[in-house]
Amino acid sequence: MGTTNSTLSKIPNVEELMQETGFTPAHIVRLYDRFEALDKEKTGLLRPQDFGAINRLAMNPIGDRIIGAFFSPGQETVDFHSFVRILAHFRPADKKRPKDPSMPEPVNSRTSKLKFAFQLYDQDKDGKISRAELLQVLRSMLEMQVTEEQLESIADRTIQEADLDKDDAISFEEFRKSLEKVNIDHKMSIRFLR
Amino acid sequence: MEDDEARWRDRNRKAKASPRAGGRNGKPATTEDEEEEEDQDEAPRKRARKKKASAQDSEEEEEEDDRSVKRKGTKAAGRKKKAVKEESEEEEEEEEEERGKKKKGGKVTSKKQKDEQNKEKKGDAKGKGGKDKGNGKDKKKKNGKYSSSSSSGESGDGDSLSEGEMASLKEEVEEKKKLIATLRNKPWRMKRRLKLLKECQAFVEKFEGALGKGKGRKLYAYKVMMAKVMMGLPYGSIPRKTVPRAEQDRAMDISVLLDFGGYCKYSILFYGFYNAERTIGVLQFRLPLSYLLVGVGIFGYSLMVVIRTMARNSDEGGDGGDDGQFTFAFKMFTSWDYLIGNPETADNKYASITTSFKESIVDEQENQKDENIHLRRFLRVLANFLILCSLGGSGFLIYFVVKRSQEFANLDQDELSWFEKNEVEFVMSLLGLVCPPLFETIAELEEYHPRIALKWQLGRIFALFLGNLYTFLFALFDEVNAKLEKEKSIRNATIWGLNEYYSNYSSYHNTTDIPPPDIHPADVIRGPCWETAVGIEFVKLTVSDIQVTYMTILIGDFLRAMIVRFLNYCWCWDLEAGFPSYGEFDISGNVLGLIFNQGMIWMGVFYAPGLVGLNVLRLLTSMYYQCWAVMSCNVPHERVFKASKSNNFYMGLLLLVLFLSLLPVVYTIMTLPPSFDCGPFSGREQMYNVVMETIENDLPAFIGDIFTYATNPGLILPAVLLMVLAIYYLNATSKNYQNANLELKKKMQMARDEEKNRRNNKENTNQVMQDLEDLLPNRSLLPPAAAEEKPPPEKVHEKGSKSPKVAKRPGAAVNGKGVNLQMDVLLDAPNPKAAVTHPPGPRGPSGNARGPPPGPARGRGRGTPPSRR
């Protein structure tokens, strides 16, 4: 564990970070290694093109949105702390610890996971996934052989299914409802962060 | 009885055959030093004898004890007093055997001579002991021991040596080594030198392994384990493990081997190889019993696994998207797999997502279709009729072919062409190849929803395969019965021949004790051994299945892809997009193929244990091969429809196949008598008798009693009844739960609808209220305007369809149909009688929020009933 401690000592405010995100020292070390591997120029900051090296994201139809989620609006770089905070969304929910009502909702709760996913689709950040935004995702997700007409009807159907208040857009509440049965804890968790 | 005889014979022959078994030169030949050695080990011997004398009645126990004690004695390098020898000649022989090993140098007697003497002595011994029971038993034990010792080359040596013995052995090994090293310089004849060298080397090799020195400790242990504990005697020791003389010339021919004849037929691959000896080796491994238990246990285990998997699958109950409410949203937001990092996989994922969306679209379209029901019914009946015809035809064809092959089997094998020999497998594979596409074509008549169509298709292919398999089985049973007849005659002839031999022998030699006829195992007359024949059929079927599958992939996929790809440069039309195109990977068909393959294994494995290994090889190779084929020359199915959300559809098929393949096997185990001269159950009336035997002989008496009670029909019937009742009860409970589940689902749906409606209605009701507020005060002031009152019908219709409940005007609500919000509105309305005296209009003006803003002039409401037509 000597390496763990030495790595941890390099990170400022590591205690606070762990408190906030619920990661163990081993997690932090692992993430730090990852961060350094991505940080080609050793500036301590990651730029969007650094994320391009991850081929899983390059393959992803909404990969650039996921990368975008790491950067708060207007900023070109992300430091380790923000990096870890974002990734904390993907920490599997801890089953053992009983829920403490006095504590604020942890960042890896179902709601915050969903919120994170919702933001990926809600590009203009107006709190609603509009039809145009859906179409954008659909276009990137489906192959060329699907006609525009079919795309539109899929988007329409999606909205029709999820939309409760008939505003032709999906709000977060509706998004949550429509994914009620999905095991989000399972889908939006990175195993090694357990 | 004759079986006992046969077994006994076998053992004796073994004993003779093994080079070390014959070591006895007769009493007088015993040299001085031998006697000296024997002195040292008197005590254990005596113990052994005492035991033998005391325990006469419980045969088995005695045998075991005795053997173990004897083993100890043997390990101590077999030393004994002359007196002991006199009492039991046989033991001495064994001793001799041991000694023969130890002091090869000392003995110069030629082996043949020894053997002869040995035989004679045995005869004597038997003559002495043949009458009284105890002695007979003794012999039996001896035989058992001989067999085990000769099977591994050396029985007890490696088991548990004491330290002193270990040391002396080591010393001896060293000595031998030295001898080998210096043999060159010894002034002996070449012949003698060579012989010595061989013996020494064998000795060193053996004991070095046993002593844990040199290279061979693990290998030795493994060899002992395999040879002694599991397999019993090696190849060539007894008839069932030897290729018959007539077949020996061609036994190694590749064509024979490919048909699983020759050496294959008499190898561990097949049932016939296994010996019926009750126990093998020091561990008392009960081969027949374990053969039966494993054979049946496989089924039990498989059943358990399949059912557990099914239960687990139904537990999961889909991934949430299957209740049809959020199909699209679900697909939209959750279909991407975030672990995909490979461009090709990503492409596949894109394709699969696309297909799944298309599937949903088609689903929607299918839901809205309406059609000519009579025509469709007719077409469906027609399609089923056609398919039944082809099923029956294929069944008949197979029956015909199998019958023909039985005729061929009676002819000379050399005259038959390759096709005639493999006709059955060929036809079965061909049917499996041709019929599914045929079914698919016919199924297009039916115009089912693709998912249902797929299920039908799978069901039909299933019926085809199963029908074929069962026809094949029935034909096989015919053959088995014929073989059983044949076997009976051979068996009688064998008994008769043996009796003849005995009587001749006794009259010639004037003795009642007769050694078994000295026939080489290859020359013994034997029965047809139907079990092995069945096993061979199944193995052949599996192999031909493998061949056909592989060839289909090679030709149907690879060659086609090559042609399409490269001929496309110089062809009239676009081959890739047009007619031949690339092959599609048929997932469901492949899964079904796997299921059937598994069924075949289940059926065949009892009679051909080697089938498991073969199948493992097949699965391994076919995984890589098919993977290559799929990646290189297939395109994804155009319209993939999962047959079922969870895999329980396929698991159900697997369960059915398991059950159906269990039937014939259990039937044969329970009813057909096993062959008299091959397999682990030879000499028993029924295969399951081996269990009874074990219960009687090896388990304490009370367990036998328990079994007797447990198998009493009086106990079994209530137990079955109880189980049926339990099943009934559980079934009823599960139904209740299901109902409750449905009910809850319905409620949830209702709640959802209500919520949706409430949201929609809020605006509407507000609007209505507004309307009313607007209208009510000056209602009476306005002149009746009937024309204005009637809204344009199309518009109303449109709006009404959007929200039917709201479309009802209060007037209609009086009829008791409007239940909810409108009622509240209605309460405010004066003049309730008006609506009653007149029939309500077909459609009132809509109170929809988006309706045309009501002008004050239209404010009649219900106030002017006559005006509403």
Side-chain angles (χ1 to χ4, degrees), chain B residues 65 80 186 193 209 233 321 338 382 435 450 517 562 609 611 632 659 701 714 752 806 819:
Chain B
D65 280 1
K80 211 168 63 174
K186 291 268 158 71
R193 270 199 245 173
L233 301 172
Y338 285 83
L382 181 71
C435 282
M562 291 274 278
L611 201 55
S632 68
F659 178 71
R752 209 175 97 84
V806 190
V819 191

mmCIF file of all heavy atoms in Angstrom, chain B residues 65 80 186 193 209 233 321 338 382 435 450 517 562 609 611 632 659 701 714 752 806 819:
data_model
loop_
_atom_site.group_PDB
_atom_site.id
_atom_site.type_symbol
_atom_site.label_atom_id
_atom_site.label_comp_id
_atom_site.label_asym_id
_atom_site.label_seq_id
_atom_site.Cartn_x
_atom_site.Cartn_y
_atom_site.Cartn_z
ATOM 1 N N ASP B 65 -10.994 -57.718 3.305
ATOM 2 C CA ASP B 65 -10.003 -57.762 4.371
ATOM 3 C C ASP B 65 -8.809 -58.559 3.926
ATOM 4 O O ASP B 65 -7.664 -58.134 4.038
ATOM 5 C CB ASP B 65 -10.607 -58.437 5.608
ATOM 6 C CG ASP B 65 -11.448 -57.465 6.358
ATOM 7 O OD1 ASP B 65 -11.548 -56.320 5.872
ATOM 8 O OD2 ASP B 65 -11.970 -57.819 7.407
ATOM 9 N N LYS B 80 7.590 -66.021 2.966
ATOM 10 C CA LYS B 80 6.678 -66.916 3.658
ATOM 11 C C LYS B 80 7.342 -68.243 3.984
ATOM 12 O O LYS B 80 8.324 -68.623 3.383
ATOM 13 C CB LYS B 80 5.450 -67.144 2.797
ATOM 14 C CG LYS B 80 4.236 -67.369 3.618
ATOM 15 C CD LYS B 80 2.992 -67.292 2.778
ATOM 16 C CE LYS B 80 2.968 -68.359 1.748
ATOM 17 N NZ LYS B 80 1.729 -68.390 1.028
ATOM 18 N N LYS B 186 29.649 -58.067 -18.037
ATOM 19 C CA LYS B 186 29.409 -59.392 -17.440
ATOM 20 C C LYS B 186 29.692 -60.484 -18.464
ATOM 21 O O LYS B 186 29.334 -60.363 -19.639
ATOM 22 C CB LYS B 186 27.953 -59.480 -16.972
ATOM 23 C CG LYS B 186 27.666 -58.589 -15.782
ATOM 24 C CD LYS B 186 27.871 -59.371 -14.501
ATOM 25 C CE LYS B 186 28.131 -58.437 -13.324
ATOM 26 N NZ LYS B 186 27.028 -57.660 -12.858
ATOM 27 N N ARG B 193 21.849 -61.670 -21.192
ATOM 28 C CA ARG B 193 22.079 -60.260 -20.873
ATOM 29 C C ARG B 193 20.882 -59.402 -21.263
ATOM 30 O O ARG B 193 20.413 -58.570 -20.503
ATOM 31 C CB ARG B 193 23.304 -59.761 -21.627
ATOM 32 C CG ARG B 193 24.566 -59.945 -20.830
ATOM 33 C CD ARG B 193 25.616 -59.044 -21.382
ATOM 34 N NE ARG B 193 26.708 -59.799 -21.960
ATOM 35 C CZ ARG B 193 27.716 -59.235 -22.643
ATOM 36 N NH1 ARG B 193 27.708 -57.950 -22.865
ATOM 37 N NH2 ARG B 193 28.691 -59.951 -23.116
ATOM 38 N N GLY B 209 9.256 -44.806 -10.011
ATOM 39 C CA GLY B 209 8.021 -44.022 -9.977
ATOM 40 C C GLY B 209 7.348 -44.155 -8.643
ATOM 41 O O GLY B 209 6.966 -43.175 -7.999
ATOM 42 N N LEU B 233 -9.065 -53.759 -16.816
ATOM 43 C CA LEU B 233 -8.064 -54.423 -17.643
ATOM 44 C C LEU B 233 -7.765 -53.603 -18.889
ATOM 45 O O LEU B 233 -8.611 -52.891 -19.390
ATOM 46 C CB LEU B 233 -8.604 -55.785 -18.055
ATOM 47 C CG LEU B 233 -8.936 -56.672 -16.863
ATOM 48 C CD1 LEU B 233 -9.649 -57.905 -17.329
ATOM 49 C CD2 LEU B 233 -7.686 -57.021 -16.123
ATOM 50 N N GLY B 321 -38.586 -3.373 -20.783
ATOM 51 C CA GLY B 321 -39.170 -2.778 -21.970
ATOM 52 C C GLY B 321 -40.290 -3.606 -22.554
ATOM 53 O O GLY B 321 -40.778 -3.288 -23.627
ATOM 54 N N TYR B 338 -22.102 0.576 -23.644
ATOM 55 C CA TYR B 338 -21.021 1.536 -23.477
ATOM 56 C C TYR B 338 -19.649 0.904 -23.374
ATOM 57 O O TYR B 338 -18.656 1.593 -23.245
ATOM 58 C CB TYR B 338 -21.284 2.426 -22.257
ATOM 59 C CG TYR B 338 -22.338 3.433 -22.556
ATOM 60 C CD1 TYR B 338 -23.676 3.111 -22.465
ATOM 61 C CD2 TYR B 338 -21.994 4.698 -23.007
ATOM 62 C CE1 TYR B 338 -24.648 4.024 -22.794
ATOM 63 C CE2 TYR B 338 -22.959 5.603 -23.339
ATOM 64 C CZ TYR B 338 -24.283 5.264 -23.235
ATOM 65 O OH TYR B 338 -25.227 6.171 -23.577
ATOM 66 N N LEU B 382 -53.989 -24.790 -45.225
ATOM 67 C CA LEU B 382 -53.252 -25.362 -46.349
ATOM 68 C C LEU B 382 -51.769 -25.512 -45.996
ATOM 69 O O LEU B 382 -51.163 -26.567 -46.224
ATOM 70 C CB LEU B 382 -53.403 -24.458 -47.572
ATOM 71 C CG LEU B 382 -52.700 -24.952 -48.829
ATOM 72 C CD1 LEU B 382 -53.436 -26.164 -49.378
ATOM 73 C CD2 LEU B 382 -52.634 -23.862 -49.878
ATOM 74 N N CYS B 435 -35.451 -29.361 -45.529
ATOM 75 C CA CYS B 435 -36.786 -29.095 -44.994
ATOM 76 C C CYS B 435 -36.973 -27.697 -44.394
ATOM 77 O O CYS B 435 -37.980 -27.061 -44.695
ATOM 78 C CB CYS B 435 -37.166 -30.163 -43.983
ATOM 79 S SG CYS B 435 -37.678 -31.677 -44.784
ATOM 80 N N PRO B 450 -44.212 -11.743 -37.714
ATOM 81 C CA PRO B 450 -42.905 -12.396 -37.805
ATOM 82 C C PRO B 450 -42.495 -13.164 -36.558
ATOM 83 O O PRO B 450 -41.892 -14.224 -36.659
ATOM 84 C CB PRO B 450 -41.963 -11.222 -38.046
ATOM 85 C CG PRO B 450 -42.782 -10.210 -38.715
ATOM 86 C CD PRO B 450 -44.175 -10.372 -38.222
ATOM 87 N N PRO B 517 -10.975 -73.282 -21.084
ATOM 88 C CA PRO B 517 -10.366 -73.556 -22.387
ATOM 89 C C PRO B 517 -9.409 -72.430 -22.744
ATOM 90 O O PRO B 517 -9.708 -71.256 -22.547
ATOM 91 C CB PRO B 517 -11.555 -73.588 -23.349
ATOM 92 C CG PRO B 517 -12.668 -72.925 -22.631
ATOM 93 C CD PRO B 517 -12.423 -73.132 -21.181
ATOM 94 N N MET B 562 -17.715 -15.825 -51.526
ATOM 95 C CA MET B 562 -16.624 -15.613 -52.471
ATOM 96 C C MET B 562 -17.174 -15.244 -53.839
ATOM 97 O O MET B 562 -16.722 -14.282 -54.483
ATOM 98 C CB MET B 562 -15.807 -16.909 -52.598
ATOM 99 C CG MET B 562 -15.018 -17.273 -51.387
ATOM 100 S SD MET B 562 -13.429 -16.482 -51.379
ATOM 101 C CE MET B 562 -12.533 -17.579 -52.436
ATOM 102 N N PRO B 609 -19.777 -43.782 -24.310
ATOM 103 C CA PRO B 609 -19.286 -42.727 -23.418
ATOM 104 C C PRO B 609 -18.318 -41.780 -24.105
ATOM 105 O O PRO B 609 -18.178 -40.631 -23.704
ATOM 106 C CB PRO B 609 -18.568 -43.507 -22.314
ATOM 107 C CG PRO B 609 -19.115 -44.878 -22.393
ATOM 108 C CD PRO B 609 -19.494 -45.114 -23.806
ATOM 109 N N LEU B 611 -18.694 -40.359 -26.731
ATOM 110 C CA LEU B 611 -19.427 -39.329 -27.461
ATOM 111 C C LEU B 611 -19.261 -37.957 -26.811
ATOM 112 O O LEU B 611 -19.243 -36.937 -27.497
ATOM 113 C CB LEU B 611 -20.907 -39.713 -27.485
ATOM 114 C CG LEU B 611 -21.786 -39.104 -28.546
ATOM 115 C CD1 LEU B 611 -21.209 -39.385 -29.898
ATOM 116 C CD2 LEU B 611 -23.179 -39.676 -28.454
ATOM 117 N N SER B 632 -16.762 -13.330 -41.436
ATOM 118 C CA SER B 632 -16.190 -13.096 -42.755
ATOM 119 C C SER B 632 -17.207 -13.193 -43.880
ATOM 120 O O SER B 632 -17.047 -12.523 -44.889
ATOM 121 C CB SER B 632 -15.048 -14.071 -43.001
ATOM 122 O OG SER B 632 -15.561 -15.374 -43.112
ATOM 123 N N PHE B 659 -36.244 -34.550 -22.218
ATOM 124 C CA PHE B 659 -37.221 -35.541 -21.807
ATOM 125 C C PHE B 659 -37.357 -36.626 -22.861
ATOM 126 O O PHE B 659 -37.393 -37.820 -22.549
ATOM 127 C CB PHE B 659 -38.562 -34.850 -21.569
ATOM 128 C CG PHE B 659 -39.650 -35.799 -21.177
ATOM 129 C CD1 PHE B 659 -39.637 -36.391 -19.931
ATOM 130 C CD2 PHE B 659 -40.666 -36.101 -22.048
ATOM 131 C CE1 PHE B 659 -40.625 -37.277 -19.576
ATOM 132 C CE2 PHE B 659 -41.651 -36.981 -21.694
ATOM 133 C CZ PHE B 659 -41.637 -37.578 -20.453
ATOM 134 N N ALA B 701 -27.372 -54.145 6.199
ATOM 135 C CA ALA B 701 -28.637 -54.818 5.909
ATOM 136 C C ALA B 701 -29.836 -53.893 6.042
ATOM 137 O O ALA B 701 -30.784 -53.975 5.265
ATOM 138 C CB ALA B 701 -28.792 -56.011 6.841
ATOM 139 N N GLY B 714 -47.116 -49.841 -2.248
ATOM 140 C CA GLY B 714 -47.962 -49.218 -1.246
ATOM 141 C C GLY B 714 -47.385 -47.909 -0.751
ATOM 142 O O GLY B 714 -48.110 -47.010 -0.318
ATOM 143 N N ARG B 752 -52.080 5.320 -14.603
ATOM 144 C CA ARG B 752 -51.322 6.103 -15.561
ATOM 145 C C ARG B 752 -52.243 6.839 -16.518
ATOM 146 O O ARG B 752 -52.104 8.039 -16.756
ATOM 147 C CB ARG B 752 -50.403 5.166 -16.352
ATOM 148 C CG ARG B 752 -49.153 5.809 -16.841
ATOM 149 C CD ARG B 752 -48.303 4.773 -17.493
ATOM 150 N NE ARG B 752 -48.482 4.778 -18.927
ATOM 151 C CZ ARG B 752 -47.824 5.612 -19.734
ATOM 152 N NH1 ARG B 752 -46.972 6.468 -19.242
ATOM 153 N NH2 ARG B 752 -48.012 5.573 -21.022
ATOM 154 N N VAL B 806 -64.274 13.999 -22.988
ATOM 155 C CA VAL B 806 -64.612 15.414 -22.945
ATOM 156 C C VAL B 806 -65.629 15.760 -24.027
ATOM 157 O O VAL B 806 -66.403 16.691 -23.884
ATOM 158 C CB VAL B 806 -63.348 16.261 -23.129
ATOM 159 C CG1 VAL B 806 -63.646 17.711 -22.838
ATOM 160 C CG2 VAL B 806 -62.256 15.734 -22.218
ATOM 161 N N VAL B 819 -69.154 10.438 -16.410
ATOM 162 C CA VAL B 819 -69.008 10.076 -15.018
ATOM 163 C C VAL B 819 -68.276 11.142 -14.247
ATOM 164 O O VAL B 819 -68.679 11.538 -13.164
ATOM 165 C CB VAL B 819 -68.242 8.752 -14.876
ATOM 166 C CG1 VAL B 819 -68.349 8.263 -13.455
ATOM 167 C CG2 VAL B 819 -68.800 7.718 -15.837
#
